[in-house]
């Protein structure tokens, strides 16, 4: 199903200039809606792990043993000196200008170089993989809260990418349940959370102002619920029992495919072929979903890996992946491939374009070998609103992952402490 127009488009100009044109306008969403924000047109495949595990919302414990393990590719074999800075943010991910670096960092406060890197070997697309860990023996975190690391090209002083993470100083438990019998419908399209936070042992003068929660579904900060009004505040805790703010669209399970080899077509891939100078993988054509479809997936995540030459990050090749969607030609909204593979943003390169010869929509993205989850989404280019329901459906049975964060800002405090954390996976058969 690979269209000849796609092959011509992707194999004509050199890769670097192609990327510059396709990714120069990174997205139409504000940075607050993204965990990872890439500004350099040559940066790809940003992966963040904690304790060997990849999470939709990366987090480490204050003074705990785990570190952030970060990798990213620069699509050039030329070594670039990258350095990074660390900034503390409030609970809305705005930079906290009330703190000095010395208030939240201990150690070397200058720009820290990323010194661990490896050039790709035997790949059609050349790149350099960079590795970093944080905290380090030279630089550590001293307080909890929201953090952002900014990575710069040290030669040009331009920002290449940034990513967000959490530092938790867990002082209170977070109790949560979910129901599909919501305040607006029953076993139809939504899921509603009920949350309670005991506050015993914490001195407060005005609980409603000092305690805030943020709830994130599947790592999508653009759909996060910020500081919903509690239903009950007592001397021993705060409860959200019937909050309409905590009713979430249920959505549908993520689509998925696997391409860990350039030699054979794997799960979800119709064929993989070599059109000089690149590999092209065409996925099986998809339909607009009308019903709920259970499938075991990773709630939108992706993992880079290759089985052809081991599992090292520097041996996976980059492949032009062709996404196909069968639907009538749309005129109201633009349609995109969407998920963690686009950093939960609307990317120009992920836009679906109508192909008259096969009467389908097609998007072509350059992706590293690995395992991928994704959705099809509609986007309003004026408001930036993203709608996955039109193409994927909206069904109460969907297994979603919710992250509940509890922030405490004492009277006169200069920052939002992150004192409660809960990662909750909704399974309809277990409620």
């Amino acid at each position: 199903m690979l269209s000849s127009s796609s092959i011509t488009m992707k194999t004509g100009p050199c890769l670097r200039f192609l990327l510059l044109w396709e990714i120069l306008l990174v997205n139409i969403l504000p940075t607050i809606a993204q965990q990872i924000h890439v500004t350099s047109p040559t940066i790809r495949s940003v992966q963040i792990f904690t304790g060997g595990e990849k999470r939709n919302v990366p987090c480490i414990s204050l003074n705990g043993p785990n570190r952030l393990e970060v990798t990213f590719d620069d699509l050039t074999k030329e070594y670039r000196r990258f350095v990074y800075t660390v900034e503390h943010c409030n609970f809305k991910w705005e930079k906290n200008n009330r703190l000095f670096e010395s208030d939240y960092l201990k150690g070397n406060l200058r720009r820290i170089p990323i010194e661990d890197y490896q050039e790709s070997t035997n790949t059609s697309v050349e790149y350099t993989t960079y590795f970093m860990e944080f905290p380090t023996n030279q630089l550590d975190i001293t307080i909890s809260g929201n953090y952002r690391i900014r990575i710069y090209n040290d030669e040009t002083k331009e920002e290449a990418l940034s990513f967000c993470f959490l530092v938790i100083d867990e002082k209170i438990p977070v109790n949560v349940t979910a129901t599909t019998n919501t305040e607006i419908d029953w076993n139809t399209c939504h899921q509603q959370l009920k949350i309670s936070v005991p506050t015993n042992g914490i001195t407060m003068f005005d609980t409603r102002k000092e305690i805030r929660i943020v709830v994130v579904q599947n790592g999508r900060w653009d759909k996060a619920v910020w500081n919903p009004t509690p239903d009950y505040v007592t001397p021993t805790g705060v409860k959200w029992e019937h909050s309409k703010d905590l009713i979430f669209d249920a959505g549908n399970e993520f689509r998925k495919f696997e391409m860990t080899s350039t030699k054979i077509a794997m799960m979800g891939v119709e064929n993989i072929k070599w059109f000089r100078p690149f590999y092209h993988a065409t996925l099986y054509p998809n339909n607009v979903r009308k019903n709920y479809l259970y499938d075991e997936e990773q709630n939108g995540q992706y993992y880079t890996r290759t089985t052809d030459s081991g599992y090292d990050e520097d041996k996976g090749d980059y492949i032009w992946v062709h996404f196909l969607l069968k639907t009538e030609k749309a005129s109201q909204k633009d349609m995109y491939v969407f998920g963690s593979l686009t950093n939960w943003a609307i990317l120009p390169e992920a836009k679906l374009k109508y192909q008259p010869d096969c009467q389908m929509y097609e998007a072509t993205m350059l992706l590293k070998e690995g395992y991928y989850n994704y959705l099809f989404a509609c986007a309003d280019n004026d408001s930036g609103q993203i709608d996955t329901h039109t193409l994927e459906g909206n069904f109460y049975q969907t297994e979603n992952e919710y992250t509940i964060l509890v922030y405490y800002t004492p009277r006169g405090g200069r920052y939002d402490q992150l004192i409660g954390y809960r990662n909750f996976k909704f399974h309809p058969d277990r409620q």
Side-chain angles (χ1 to χ4, degrees):
M1 302 302 295
L2 184 65
S3 68
S4 59
S5 61
S6 296
I7 298 173
T8 303
M9 177 182 65
K10 296 304 178 187
T11 58
C14 74
L15 182 61
R16 181 176 299 179
F17 286 106
L18 188 61
L19 290 169
L20 283 169
W21 284 108
E22 285 196 333
I23 317 172
L24 195 56
L25 296 176
V26 176
N27 56 72
I28 59 175
L29 291 175
T31 305
I32 192 174
Q34 296 172 246
Q35 168 199 319
I36 298 169
H37 186 76
V38 177
T39 48
S40 168
T42 61
I43 298 299
R44 290 279 175 138
S45 303
V46 184
Q47 302 265 277
I48 305 172
F49 293 85
T50 56
E53 178 183 359
K54 188 176 183 183
R55 302 183 181 184
N56 272 319
V57 181
C59 61
I60 56 176
S61 296
L62 186 65
N63 302 318
N66 286 342
R67 296 184 177 186
L68 295 174
E69 304 154 19
V70 183
T71 68
F72 62 91
D73 294 342
D74 184 13
L75 297 190
T76 173
K77 294 275 277 192
E78 300 173 4
Y79 166 75
R80 300 178 195 272
R81 178 180 166 87
F82 289 105
V83 297
Y84 68 88
T85 60
V86 185
E87 62 186 35
H88 193 280
C89 302
N90 64 17
F91 84 103
K92 290 185 177 181
W93 294 105
E94 300 161 338
K95 183 179 180 180
N96 186 350
N97 293 316
R98 303 180 69 185
L99 298 179
F100 296 104
E101 283 186 332
S102 57
D103 292 326
Y104 57 86
L105 292 175
K106 177 176 65 176
N108 186 351
L109 303 185
R110 295 173 297 175
R111 293 189 172 196
I112 312 301
I114 300 175
E115 299 177 323
D116 194 358
Y117 65 95
Q118 181 67 49
E119 294 181 354
S120 63
T121 54
N122 300 320
T123 56
S124 62
V125 176
E126 295 184 332
Y127 61 89
T128 303
T129 297
Y130 293 82
F131 309 84
M132 64 169 286
E133 288 189 345
F134 184 81
T136 68
N137 294 332
Q138 292 75 37
L139 187 64
D140 203 356
I141 293 286
T142 59
I143 61 176
S144 67
N146 291 359
Y147 283 85
R148 181 181 290 110
I149 284 180
R150 297 188 184 275
I151 298 176
Y152 297 86
N153 183 322
D154 197 34
E155 181 180 354
T156 65
K157 310 305 179 185
E158 294 177 347
E159 183 176 316
L161 72 148
S162 65
F163 62 88
C164 300
F165 65 99
L166 307 170
V167 176
I168 305 162
D169 184 12
E170 199 162 2
K171 296 179 179 179
I172 58 175
V174 180
N175 304 311
V176 56
T177 60
T179 179
T180 56
N181 183 10
T182 74
E183 302 290 322
I184 59 176
D185 58 19
W186 183 78
N187 285 359
T188 305
C189 301
H190 297 90
Q191 297 165 0
Q192 182 167 8
L193 300 189
K194 297 184 179 182
I195 299 171
S196 64
V197 178
T199 56
N200 296 358
I202 299 178
T203 302
M204 297 187 191
F205 296 94
D206 189 341
T207 302
R208 290 182 183 272
K209 292 183 179 179
E210 295 177 42
I211 289 288
R212 303 181 181 95
I213 68 168
V214 176
V215 184
V216 186
Q217 183 192 62
N218 297 330
R220 285 189 60 182
W221 287 96
D222 63 302
K223 291 291 185 181
V225 174
W226 307 87
N227 194 25
T229 302
D231 296 301
Y232 307 103
V233 177
T234 70
T236 59
V238 187
K239 293 183 178 181
W240 294 260
E241 291 281 355
H242 308 285
S243 174
K244 287 190 175 182
D245 291 333
L246 295 179
I247 299 176
F248 290 82
D249 293 326
N252 207 337
E253 306 294 349
F254 285 83
R255 305 175 192 259
K256 62 183 181 181
F257 68 94
E258 184 175 10
M259 53 170 200
T260 59
S261 172
T262 58
K263 297 179 175 64
I264 58 174
M266 307 184 82
M267 176 186 65
V269 180
E270 184 175 33
N271 61 68
I272 183 165
K273 298 180 180 180
W274 171 256
F275 295 102
R276 187 174 299 276
F278 305 120
Y279 286 101
H280 290 255
T282 302
L283 306 188
Y284 284 104
N286 289 278
N287 294 302
V288 175
R289 287 170 166 175
K290 302 297 183 183
N291 301 291
Y292 171 73
L293 179 63
Y294 173 76
D295 199 359
E296 187 173 340
E297 32 80 276
Q298 300 296 320
N299 290 318
Q301 291 286 4
Y302 75 92
Y303 301 85
T304 59
R305 54 175 296 193
T306 178
T307 56
D308 287 339
S309 54
Y311 297 94
D312 294 338
E313 285 290 335
D314 60 299
K315 292 183 173 62
D317 211 339
Y318 275 84
I319 300 171
W320 288 108
V321 180
H322 299 258
F323 298 82
L324 298 172
L325 178 63
K326 293 180 179 179
T327 184
E328 296 179 358
K329 190 172 183 179
S331 58
Q332 298 299 318
K333 292 184 178 180
D334 292 330
M335 298 182 293
Y336 295 84
V337 179
F338 180 69
S340 181
L341 79 171
T342 67
N343 298 325
W344 301 109
I346 294 301
L347 298 182
E349 65 169 312
K351 184 176 179 179
L352 290 156
K353 299 177 182 178
Y354 191 69
Q355 302 293 345
D357 54 340
C358 59
Q359 296 184 329
M360 284 188 287
Y361 279 84
E362 179 183 11
T364 309
M365 298 180 64
L366 186 67
L367 300 173
K368 197 174 185 179
E369 287 182 80
Y371 170 89
Y372 288 83
N373 283 185
Y374 69 100
L375 295 171
F376 290 114
C378 296
D380 187 317
N381 288 327
D382 293 327
S383 66
Q385 292 297 311
I386 301 171
D387 157 34
T388 62
H389 313 137
T390 300
L391 302 175
E392 301 291 355
N394 198 21
F395 306 98
Y396 75 93
Q397 303 99 318
T398 304
E399 296 185 351
N400 288 305
E401 179 180 313
Y402 294 93
T403 304
I404 299 94
L405 308 172
V406 182
Y407 297 89
Y408 168 53
T409 312
R411 180 184 292 180
R414 293 190 296 149
Y415 71 98
D416 301 325
Q417 304 175 31
L418 181 52
I419 63 170
Y421 169 91
R422 177 75 183 275
N423 200 54
F424 175 80
K425 294 185 178 181
F426 173 80
H427 300 278
D429 57 337
R430 302 180 198 172
Q431 304 307 310

